[in-house]
PDB file of all heavy atoms in Angstrom:
ATOM      1  N   ARG A 106      29.405-107.231 -63.418  1.00 96.00           N
ATOM      2  CA  ARG A 106      28.590-106.161 -64.016  1.00 96.00           C
ATOM      3  C   ARG A 106      29.452-105.170 -64.791  1.00 96.00           C
ATOM      4  O   ARG A 106      29.069-104.705 -65.860  1.00 96.00           O
ATOM      5  CB  ARG A 106      27.778-105.432 -62.935  1.00 96.00           C
ATOM      6  CG  ARG A 106      26.573-106.214 -62.498  1.00 96.00           C
ATOM      7  CD  ARG A 106      25.672-105.404 -61.605  1.00 96.00           C
ATOM      8  NE  ARG A 106      24.450-106.152 -61.331  1.00 96.00           N
ATOM      9  CZ  ARG A 106      23.735-106.060 -60.236  1.00 96.00           C
ATOM     10  NH1 ARG A 106      24.116-105.216 -59.286  1.00 96.00           N
ATOM     11  NH2 ARG A 106      22.657-106.776 -60.077  1.00 96.00           N
ATOM     12  N   ARG A 107      30.623-104.839 -64.231  1.00 97.00           N
ATOM     13  CA  ARG A 107      31.547-103.950 -64.945  1.00 97.00           C
ATOM     14  C   ARG A 107      32.004-104.585 -66.248  1.00 97.00           C
ATOM     15  O   ARG A 107      32.026-103.934 -67.299  1.00 97.00           O
ATOM     16  CB  ARG A 107      32.767-103.606 -64.084  1.00 97.00           C
ATOM     17  CG  ARG A 107      32.587-102.432 -63.159  1.00 97.00           C
ATOM     18  CD  ARG A 107      33.916-101.979 -62.550  1.00 97.00           C
ATOM     19  NE  ARG A 107      34.715-103.065 -61.989  1.00 97.00           N
ATOM     20  CZ  ARG A 107      34.584-103.553 -60.759  1.00 97.00           C
ATOM     21  NH1 ARG A 107      33.686-103.050 -59.944  1.00 97.00           N
ATOM     22  NH2 ARG A 107      35.353-104.541 -60.342  1.00 97.00           N
ATOM     23  N   GLU A 108      32.375-105.855 -66.196  1.00 97.00           N
ATOM     24  CA  GLU A 108      32.803-106.564 -67.404  1.00 97.00           C
ATOM     25  C   GLU A 108      31.675-106.613 -68.433  1.00 97.00           C
ATOM     26  O   GLU A 108      31.899-106.423 -69.624  1.00 97.00           O
ATOM     27  CB  GLU A 108      33.255-107.987 -67.065  1.00 97.00           C
ATOM     28  CG  GLU A 108      34.563-108.041 -66.322  1.00 97.00           C
ATOM     29  CD  GLU A 108      34.909-109.451 -65.844  1.00 97.00           C
ATOM     30  OE1 GLU A 108      34.093-110.391 -66.039  1.00 97.00           O
ATOM     31  OE2 GLU A 108      35.993-109.615 -65.264  1.00 97.00           O
ATOM     32  N   PHE A 109      30.469-106.874 -67.951  1.00 96.00           N
ATOM     33  CA  PHE A 109      29.301-106.909 -68.839  1.00 96.00           C
ATOM     34  C   PHE A 109      29.122-105.552 -69.522  1.00 96.00           C
ATOM     35  O   PHE A 109      28.937-105.476 -70.736  1.00 96.00           O
ATOM     36  CB  PHE A 109      28.045-107.269 -68.033  1.00 96.00           C
ATOM     37  CG  PHE A 109      26.764-107.147 -68.810  1.00 96.00           C
ATOM     38  CD1 PHE A 109      26.372-108.140 -69.695  1.00 96.00           C
ATOM     39  CD2 PHE A 109      25.941-106.044 -68.646  1.00 96.00           C
ATOM     40  CE1 PHE A 109      25.186-108.032 -70.406  1.00 96.00           C
ATOM     41  CE2 PHE A 109      24.765-105.926 -69.353  1.00 96.00           C
ATOM     42  CZ  PHE A 109      24.380-106.928 -70.241  1.00 96.00           C
ATOM     43  N   GLN A 110      29.191-104.491 -68.746  1.00 96.00           N
ATOM     44  CA  GLN A 110      29.007-103.140 -69.299  1.00 96.00           C
ATOM     45  C   GLN A 110      30.115-102.804 -70.299  1.00 96.00           C
ATOM     46  O   GLN A 110      29.848-102.218 -71.341  1.00 96.00           O
ATOM     47  CB  GLN A 110      28.958-102.106 -68.171  1.00 96.00           C
ATOM     48  CG  GLN A 110      28.387-100.794 -68.589  1.00 96.00           C
ATOM     49  CD  GLN A 110      26.949-100.915 -69.089  1.00 96.00           C
ATOM     50  OE1 GLN A 110      26.111-101.544 -68.458  1.00 96.00           O
ATOM     51  NE2 GLN A 110      26.662-100.323 -70.222  1.00 96.00           N
ATOM     52  N   GLU A 111      31.347-103.180 -69.985  1.00 97.00           N
ATOM     53  CA  GLU A 111      32.459-102.942 -70.905  1.00 97.00           C
ATOM     54  C   GLU A 111      32.261-103.707 -72.211  1.00 97.00           C
ATOM     55  O   GLU A 111      32.468-103.166 -73.299  1.00 97.00           O
ATOM     56  CB  GLU A 111      33.787-103.331 -70.260  1.00 97.00           C
ATOM     57  CG  GLU A 111      34.230-102.391 -69.163  1.00 97.00           C
ATOM     58  CD  GLU A 111      35.418-102.921 -68.373  1.00 97.00           C
ATOM     59  OE1 GLU A 111      35.964-103.995 -68.720  1.00 97.00           O
ATOM     60  OE2 GLU A 111      35.810-102.261 -67.391  1.00 97.00           O
ATOM     61  N   ASP A 112      31.855-104.974 -72.106  1.00 96.00           N
ATOM     62  CA  ASP A 112      31.614-105.785 -73.305  1.00 96.00           C
ATOM     63  C   ASP A 112      30.469-105.203 -74.132  1.00 96.00           C
ATOM     64  O   ASP A 112      30.552-105.134 -75.360  1.00 96.00           O
ATOM     65  CB  ASP A 112      31.295-107.231 -72.933  1.00 96.00           C
ATOM     66  CG  ASP A 112      32.488-107.976 -72.348  1.00 96.00           C
ATOM     67  OD1 ASP A 112      33.622-107.456 -72.453  1.00 96.00           O
ATOM     68  OD2 ASP A 112      32.281-109.063 -71.780  1.00 96.00           O
ATOM     69  N   LEU A 113      29.415-104.787 -73.450  1.00 96.00           N
ATOM     70  CA  LEU A 113      28.264-104.203 -74.136  1.00 96.00           C
ATOM     71  C   LEU A 113      28.661-102.910 -74.847  1.00 96.00           C
ATOM     72  O   LEU A 113      28.310-102.706 -76.015  1.00 96.00           O
ATOM     73  CB  LEU A 113      27.135-103.927 -73.134  1.00 96.00           C
ATOM     74  CG  LEU A 113      25.845-103.347 -73.688  1.00 96.00           C
ATOM     75  CD1 LEU A 113      25.191-104.320 -74.655  1.00 96.00           C
ATOM     76  CD2 LEU A 113      24.890-103.008 -72.556  1.00 96.00           C
ATOM     77  N   ASN A 114      29.418-102.049 -74.181  1.00 96.00           N
ATOM     78  CA  ASN A 114      29.865-100.793 -74.800  1.00 96.00           C
ATOM     79  C   ASN A 114      30.777-101.047 -75.993  1.00 96.00           C
ATOM     80  O   ASN A 114      30.652-100.381 -77.031  1.00 96.00           O
ATOM     81  CB  ASN A 114      30.578 -99.906 -73.777  1.00 96.00           C
ATOM     82  CG  ASN A 114      29.630 -99.307 -72.769  1.00 96.00           C
ATOM     83  OD1 ASN A 114      28.432 -99.215 -73.002  1.00 96.00           O
ATOM     84  ND2 ASN A 114      30.155 -98.929 -71.624  1.00 96.00           N
ATOM     85  N   GLN A 115      31.681-102.006 -75.851  1.00 96.00           N
ATOM     86  CA  GLN A 115      32.584-102.319 -76.957  1.00 96.00           C
ATOM     87  C   GLN A 115      31.786-102.826 -78.153  1.00 96.00           C
ATOM     88  O   GLN A 115      31.997-102.398 -79.286  1.00 96.00           O
ATOM     89  CB  GLN A 115      33.609-103.368 -76.543  1.00 96.00           C
ATOM     90  CG  GLN A 115      34.568-103.732 -77.660  1.00 96.00           C
ATOM     91  CD  GLN A 115      35.599-104.763 -77.227  1.00 96.00           C
ATOM     92  OE1 GLN A 115      35.676-105.139 -76.069  1.00 96.00           O
ATOM     93  NE2 GLN A 115      36.385-105.217 -78.172  1.00 96.00           N
ATOM     94  N   ARG A 116      30.837-103.699 -77.910  1.00 95.00           N
ATOM     95  CA  ARG A 116      30.014-104.239 -79.002  1.00 95.00           C
ATOM     96  C   ARG A 116      29.177-103.140 -79.636  1.00 95.00           C
ATOM     97  O   ARG A 116      29.051-103.066 -80.861  1.00 95.00           O
ATOM     98  CB  ARG A 116      29.125-105.349 -78.447  1.00 95.00           C
ATOM     99  CG  ARG A 116      28.155-105.919 -79.423  1.00 95.00           C
ATOM    100  CD  ARG A 116      28.835-106.835 -80.466  1.00 95.00           C
ATOM    101  NE  ARG A 116      27.846-107.414 -81.320  1.00 95.00           N
ATOM    102  CZ  ARG A 116      27.132-108.484 -81.025  1.00 95.00           C
ATOM    103  NH1 ARG A 116      27.337-109.125 -79.890  1.00 95.00           N
ATOM    104  NH2 ARG A 116      26.222-108.929 -81.852  1.00 95.00           N
ATOM    105  N   ARG A 117      28.605-102.259 -78.818  1.00 94.00           N
ATOM    106  CA  ARG A 117      27.802-101.147 -79.339  1.00 94.00           C
ATOM    107  C   ARG A 117      28.667-100.250 -80.232  1.00 94.00           C
ATOM    108  O   ARG A 117      28.234 -99.835 -81.306  1.00 94.00           O
ATOM    109  CB  ARG A 117      27.207-100.332 -78.190  1.00 94.00           C
ATOM    110  CG  ARG A 117      26.321 -99.183 -78.659  1.00 94.00           C
ATOM    111  CD  ARG A 117      25.746 -98.370 -77.509  1.00 94.00           C
ATOM    112  NE  ARG A 117      24.918 -99.186 -76.639  1.00 94.00           N
ATOM    113  CZ  ARG A 117      25.115 -99.334 -75.334  1.00 94.00           C
ATOM    114  NH1 ARG A 117      26.121 -98.728 -74.738  1.00 94.00           N
ATOM    115  NH2 ARG A 117      24.312-100.082 -74.603  1.00 94.00           N
ATOM    116  N   ASN A 118      29.893 -99.975 -79.786  1.00 95.00           N
ATOM    117  CA  ASN A 118      30.805 -99.150 -80.587  1.00 95.00           C
ATOM    118  C   ASN A 118      31.155 -99.824 -81.913  1.00 95.00           C
ATOM    119  O   ASN A 118      31.209 -99.162 -82.949  1.00 95.00           O
ATOM    120  CB  ASN A 118      32.074 -98.830 -79.801  1.00 95.00           C
ATOM    121  CG  ASN A 118      31.818 -97.890 -78.646  1.00 95.00           C
ATOM    122  OD1 ASN A 118      30.808 -97.189 -78.606  1.00 95.00           O
ATOM    123  ND2 ASN A 118      32.722 -97.883 -77.693  1.00 95.00           N
ATOM    124  N   GLU A 119      31.389-101.131 -81.874  1.00 95.00           N
ATOM    125  CA  GLU A 119      31.707-101.862 -83.103  1.00 95.00           C
ATOM    126  C   GLU A 119      30.528-101.834 -84.073  1.00 95.00           C
ATOM    127  O   GLU A 119      30.707-101.588 -85.270  1.00 95.00           O
ATOM    128  CB  GLU A 119      32.072-103.314 -82.777  1.00 95.00           C
ATOM    129  CG  GLU A 119      33.404-103.466 -82.080  1.00 95.00           C
ATOM    130  CD  GLU A 119      33.632-104.870 -81.523  1.00 95.00           C
ATOM    131  OE1 GLU A 119      32.723-105.739 -81.643  1.00 95.00           O
ATOM    132  OE2 GLU A 119      34.704-105.112 -80.956  1.00 95.00           O
ATOM    133  N   GLU A 120      29.333-102.106 -83.560  1.00 94.00           N
ATOM    134  CA  GLU A 120      28.136-102.114 -84.406  1.00 94.00           C
ATOM    135  C   GLU A 120      27.885-100.719 -84.988  1.00 94.00           C
ATOM    136  O   GLU A 120      27.590-100.574 -86.164  1.00 94.00           O
ATOM    137  CB  GLU A 120      26.904-102.581 -83.614  1.00 94.00           C
ATOM    138  CG  GLU A 120      26.960-104.030 -83.180  1.00 94.00           C
ATOM    139  CD  GLU A 120      26.723-105.031 -84.293  1.00 94.00           C
ATOM    140  OE1 GLU A 120      26.331-104.634 -85.411  1.00 94.00           O
ATOM    141  OE2 GLU A 120      26.933-106.231 -84.042  1.00 94.00           O
ATOM    142  N   THR A 121      28.017 -99.711 -84.151  1.00 94.00           N
ATOM    143  CA  THR A 121      27.800 -98.336 -84.602  1.00 94.00           C
ATOM    144  C   THR A 121      28.816 -97.953 -85.675  1.00 94.00           C
ATOM    145  O   THR A 121      28.460 -97.339 -86.678  1.00 94.00           O
ATOM    146  CB  THR A 121      27.889 -97.357 -83.412  1.00 94.00           C
ATOM    147  OG1 THR A 121      26.888 -97.717 -82.451  1.00 94.00           O
ATOM    148  CG2 THR A 121      27.663 -95.932 -83.849  1.00 94.00           C
TER     149      THR A 121
END
Side-chain angles (χ1 to χ4, degrees):
R106 282 189 174 150
R107 274 192 311 275
E108 289 173 357
F109 172 79
Q110 197 60 48
E111 289 170 4
D112 291 347
L113 181 63
N114 288 339
Q115 180 179 354
R116 175 74 176 277
R117 182 181 299 123
N118 291 341
E119 289 169 358
E120 293 286 351
T121 300

